[in-house]
Amino acid sequence: MRLLHMSDLHFGYADPRAIDALRRSVVSLAPERVVITGDLTQRARPSQFAEAAAFVDSLGIPVTLIPGNHDLPLENWARRLLFPRKAFHAAFRTRAGSHAVEQGYELVGFDTTRVYLPVGGALDPRAVPDMTPGRVVGGAKHWRIALLHHPPLVPEGIAPERALRDGIEALDALGLRGIDVVLCGHVHIASVLVAPAGSPAAARRVLTINAGSATCERNPPHEHSFVLIEDCADGLSIAPYRFVEEADAFHRAPGWTATLDREACWQVEPEGTRASITASPASLTA
């Protein structure tokens, strides 16, 4: 498995240098698939969806994507209430789906946006299909990966309200139904997290990977990021790439290795250390 995960492109408020560098990175890194976890546009305007669709077309490889809160109309409340996702589906229905099955993994997208939540998000556990047994199919790894825009967990320093509502409960529901990994965005910071000790065991069996924002101009250029996710001997390797303004390119930064312990719970180690990473206690409340 070799997935390039990006998020929060925000066309309409995107750094054109980062967009070009991101496109070049997809070519040079040659992933088998690109995953985009929402906020492809800044204000869900037709021109912004057209730019985002053209970018997706230009990648030339399979793309799986879901909407983010910025992909629902905010300036026109009649459209938001009556046709909240019409423009998104019109732009991407024939270009990219929210579900994919390949050798080694299955991707399942969930729409965490809500018309009544301009910024926040929620997940209905009843919408999660039973995907057990997961992880191993026919003797080979087969990761079950959920795509959410809003992260169930957030790093220290991020306001808890930026997380998915009832994030730990959502992770528990996902874990009980066989999900191994969550890919997400929204908070514009690349991170790899597991639920804290004391959380339900099923929640600790789900790894949360946030790609950060690849191109949004709200962030300084050096904070633009995406991640490359690959199989490794005992789990997954997650490599972040950050935009280097002087080089006009994305360069690899220190990443993480995630492995499963004897209880099938994730342990995360930053490159060059032995420290395990968990979410901050504040992220338990969404």
Side-chain angles (χ1 to χ4, degrees):
M1 180 179 75
R2 186 176 173 87
L3 302 177
L4 193 151
H5 172 210
M6 63 179 73
S7 195
D8 295 76
L9 306 180
H10 289 272
F11 278 96
Y13 195 39
D15 183 339
R17 299 167 304 165
I19 288 290
D20 291 340
L22 184 60
R23 189 182 291 108
R24 294 194 301 271
S25 293
V26 172
V27 173
S28 63
L29 293 171
E32 58 192 272
R33 182 176 294 271
V34 166
V35 177
I36 309 176
T37 49
D39 278 2
L40 286 94
T41 68
Q42 176 66 11
R43 282 290 174 257
R45 296 171 183 165
S47 61
Q48 295 170 3
F49 277 118
E51 286 185 74
F55 172 78
V56 168
D57 285 345
S58 74
L59 299 180
I61 63 172
V63 176
T64 303
L65 53 78
I66 56 170
N69 55 292
H70 277 263
D71 298 319
L72 275 61
L74 185 62
E75 299 163 322
N76 184 324
W77 278 90
R79 280 203 303 133
R80 184 177 180 87
L81 293 172
L82 297 174
F83 311 107
R85 299 167 186 85
K86 182 178 180 180
F88 178 87
H89 291 308
F92 300 113
R93 183 179 291 113
T94 61
R95 291 180 166 88
S98 61
H99 181 250
V101 181
E102 300 288 352
Q103 183 175 357
Y105 65 90
E106 180 171 1
L107 303 174
V108 181
F110 297 95
D111 185 351
T112 59
T113 66
R114 296 293 183 267
V115 169
Y116 57 86
L117 294 173
V119 176
L123 176 69
D124 183 353
R126 296 171 298 180
V128 183
D130 186 357
M131 299 179 70
T132 54
R135 289 196 181 129
V136 176
V137 174
K141 292 177 185 175
H142 192 82
W143 303 109
R144 312 287 188 166
I145 302 173
L147 314 182
L148 313 178
H149 177 62
H150 297 84
L153 305 170
V154 294
E156 291 186 16
I158 299 296
E161 56 269 21
R162 300 282 292 171
L164 189 74
R165 281 189 175 185
D166 302 319
I168 294 294
E169 289 83 351
L171 284 176
D172 187 39
L174 291 165
L176 288 171
R177 289 163 174 81
I179 296 294
D180 303 303
V181 180
V182 165
L183 304 185
C184 53
H186 188 56
V187 295
H188 292 206
I189 295 177
S191 62
V192 179
L193 299 171
V194 294
S199 303
R204 289 185 57 81
R205 296 190 182 112
V206 184
L207 183 70
T208 299
I209 302 174
N210 199 311
S213 170
T215 59
C216 181
E217 288 197 310
R218 191 179 81 195
N219 301 82
H222 69 273
E223 292 184 3
H224 298 327
S225 66
F226 64 85
V227 297
L228 186 69
I229 304 166
E230 298 179 279
D231 282 313
C232 63
D234 300 311
L236 295 172
S237 169
I238 304 103
Y241 284 75
R242 300 188 184 281
F243 187 66
V244 177
E245 197 169 8
E246 295 79 5
D248 200 30
F250 282 89
H251 287 185
R252 193 189 189 286
W256 305 268
T257 299
T259 56
L260 294 163
D261 64 19
R262 293 180 180 180
E263 297 179 351
C265 295
W266 286 100
Q267 301 296 322
V268 180
E269 294 180 1
E271 288 180 350
T273 78
R274 301 294 295 177
S276 180
I277 299 178
T278 60
S280 65
S283 68
L284 295 176
T285 304

